[in-house]
Amino acid sequence: SCLLLILSSLPLLLLSSDHGVIILGGEGPDGPLDTIAVLTEDGWCPSENVIIPPLPMAAAGLTAHHGHVVRSENLGREYLMVCGFPGETACFQISPLNGHFVWSPVGADEENLDMSELEYVHSYTNMIKDGVTSMWMNKTSGEYQFLWSPMTRKDPDVGFEQMAGWYVDHVPNLTADSPSFGIYAHLSCMAQHTLSDGYPSMVTISGGYDGTDSLSDLTVMSDVGDGDWEWHADSLDIGQPRSEHSCLSFDYLGESGLVMAGGYAIAKNGHVPSSLSSLVFMFADGGNHDDLSNIFSCMGEMVKPRAGFGLADWGEEGLVAMGGKNYGIFPGQSGSYRLMDTVEIWNKYEDSWSAREEWRMDTPRAGFGIVAKGARSEVHGSEYCSL
């Protein structure tokens, strides 16, 4: 049963370290936000004590990354990259832990790479090469192509404002009619995650929306040998249709895999989406690097259904979910959703979610960038909060 499987897989409870979550921008009650908030284990850092300056512009639908500046001869602390801004420059970076307090644009470094032809969709922190890999729609062909920034300094003698930009990545393109995300690619969820046998990584695109229905497809990119990568449909779907959901690499049940949470579902001829509170965990069989052939759908549901929200790894204790949208029909309201300001924690040892009223956000928001614990770096909230 689900309960026996959970209990048999639990390690000893470890004492928590200095966890932290950074949220950046998003949609607020009065429109897009440029503000940044830092959650520490003691609660939200007072806004005047957050050491990260406001974003270069207010924006929603953002993706954020937190990683080491690799191959740097000195310093080399973590950087922040945020993508999804409107206009010609979709991504900006900053590294206040390196003394760099100005958001700098991430542009094209490869010759003949015309960023004006591309529209940002998704990105993930690259576990194999470091840096960030990003997915863009070519406005002319409709194909989805991939770029990579190594996030290294352009020269050891320059400051951290001069970081390497985008290069064409060796990830195969996806056609406009590829499965797993439909024509509204931004409503799918992309993640890179390790596998249980230590294989470096797999990239997945889950769910999405095709204009009438939420999708339950799962597309996988894996190494088929000799460094050649290909996209293909997974043998399983994600259990139920999801759009605008959250997903991340996660260790659970003694396995390393992919967790997907929340989002919304809408079926053909449906008038209003329904927000979801469920979670699902998928993982591969040992030695299989091409397919997530196991699905566990018995995880405890969130206290509140939410879409377009922030989901983060909260260390050994479990997960944290915050903000987002609650879709539905609300009397006296013209919109189809309400923004949320609640925060809840999932305890993996009890498989239960609990609201943290003392952590309620200062303003409701959705579609924000979020960073916390990653594959090679972890946000320590106290470092970004000057008290």
Side-chain angles (χ1 to χ4, degrees):
S1 71
C2 292
L3 179 59
L4 289 176
L5 183 57
I6 293 171
L7 292 176
S8 65
S9 67
L10 296 181
L12 294 175
L13 179 62
L14 300 177
L15 294 176
S16 62
S17 60
D18 178 19
H19 301 318
V21 175
I22 303 172
I23 61 174
L24 308 99
E27 175 189 351
D30 299 319
L33 302 168
D34 66 358
T35 54
I36 295 169
V38 176
L39 178 64
T40 73
E41 291 195 347
D42 296 323
W44 292 101
C45 178
S47 58
E48 63 271 17
N49 297 114
V50 174
I51 70 170
I52 310 166
L55 295 174
M57 68 187 78
L62 300 177
T63 307
H65 305 279
H66 181 265
H68 285 283
V69 178
V70 295
R71 294 187 293 278
S72 177
E73 293 187 2
N74 46 46
L75 297 179
R77 290 301 308 275
E78 292 83 0
Y79 63 84
L80 285 164
M81 181 192 284
V82 182
C83 293
F85 294 98
E88 292 187 5
T89 303
C91 302
F92 288 81
Q93 65 87 17
I94 196 170
S95 51
L97 299 185
N98 291 314
H100 172 220
F101 292 94
V102 178
W103 288 98
S104 301
V106 181
D109 270 10
E110 183 166 318
E111 190 175 357
N112 300 323
L113 181 56
D114 185 0
M115 299 300 293
S116 67
E117 284 291 310
L118 304 176
E119 181 178 320
Y120 173 82
V121 181
H122 287 311
S123 53
Y124 59 87
T125 300
N126 195 305
M127 296 180 179
I128 297 178
K129 299 189 295 185
D130 290 307
V132 174
T133 292
S134 52
M135 173 180 172
W136 307 73
M137 184 188 74
N138 187 295
K139 298 175 186 177
T140 301
S141 68
E143 283 195 338
Y144 295 94
Q145 61 190 77
F146 295 82
L147 307 178
W148 172 64
S149 170
M151 290 310 294
T152 58
R153 294 163 71 183
K154 292 186 175 181
D155 184 282
D157 297 324
V158 302
F160 285 91
E161 73 281 358
Q162 298 187 48
M163 299 287 282
W166 297 115
Y167 297 83
V168 174
D169 203 354
H170 300 297
V171 175
N173 286 3
L174 280 164
T175 59
D177 59 352
S178 296
S180 186
F181 49 87
I183 61 173
Y184 299 90
H186 65 285
L187 296 177
S188 63
C189 193
M190 172 177 273
Q192 185 178 46
H193 47 91
T194 56
L195 299 177
S196 300
D197 63 0
Y199 186 74
S201 69
M202 175 187 284
V203 179
T204 54
I205 303 176
S206 58
Y209 179 67
D210 65 3
T212 57
D213 298 272
S214 296
L215 302 176
S216 60
D217 302 314
L218 179 65
T219 295
V220 173
M221 185 185 68
S222 58
D223 187 348
V224 294
D226 298 324
D228 295 325
W229 295 77
E230 70 173 14
W231 292 100
H232 58 273
D234 198 78
S235 63
L236 300 177
D237 66 19
I238 61 174
Q240 70 179 120
R242 293 180 191 267
S243 310
E244 204 176 10
H245 56 293
S246 294
C247 61
L248 52 79
S249 175
F250 195 62
D251 294 337
Y252 188 47
L253 305 176
E255 304 285 350
S256 295
L258 172 72
V259 65
M260 292 159 284
Y264 71 76
I266 189 169
K268 192 172 296 182
N269 300 321
H271 296 292
V272 179
S274 297
S275 293
L276 304 173
S277 58
S278 60
L279 291 86
V280 64
F281 178 67
M282 299 184 70
F283 58 96
D285 286 329
N288 186 338
H289 303 153
D290 303 320
D291 193 70
L292 297 179
S293 54
N294 299 279
I295 185 167
F296 182 77
S297 56
C298 298
M299 298 176 72
E301 297 196 357
M302 293 183 289
V303 176
K304 300 284 187 182
R306 55 185 84 219
F309 69 105
L311 181 72
D313 191 330
W314 194 248
E316 287 296 324
E317 288 82 0
L319 298 166
V320 58
M322 59 182 66
K325 304 173 182 177
N326 180 21
Y327 283 93
I329 299 175
F330 304 102
Q333 178 177 314
S334 59
S336 61
Y337 61 84
R338 285 179 173 171
L339 295 175
M340 305 174 67
D341 62 1
T342 54
V343 178
E344 52 186 290
I345 292 281
W346 178 65
N347 185 321
K348 72 161 70 172
Y349 306 103
E350 299 178 359
D351 187 32
S352 64
W353 289 87
S354 58
R356 298 295 296 266
E357 287 297 326
E358 73 277 18
W359 287 358
R360 189 176 288 268
M361 303 162 76
D362 62 349
T363 185
R365 69 168 91 191
F368 46 86
I370 181 170
V371 290
K373 184 177 182 293
R376 294 192 177 99
S377 68
E378 181 172 0
V379 170
H380 300 294
S382 61
E383 290 191 305
Y384 291 94
C385 181
S386 177
L387 292 175

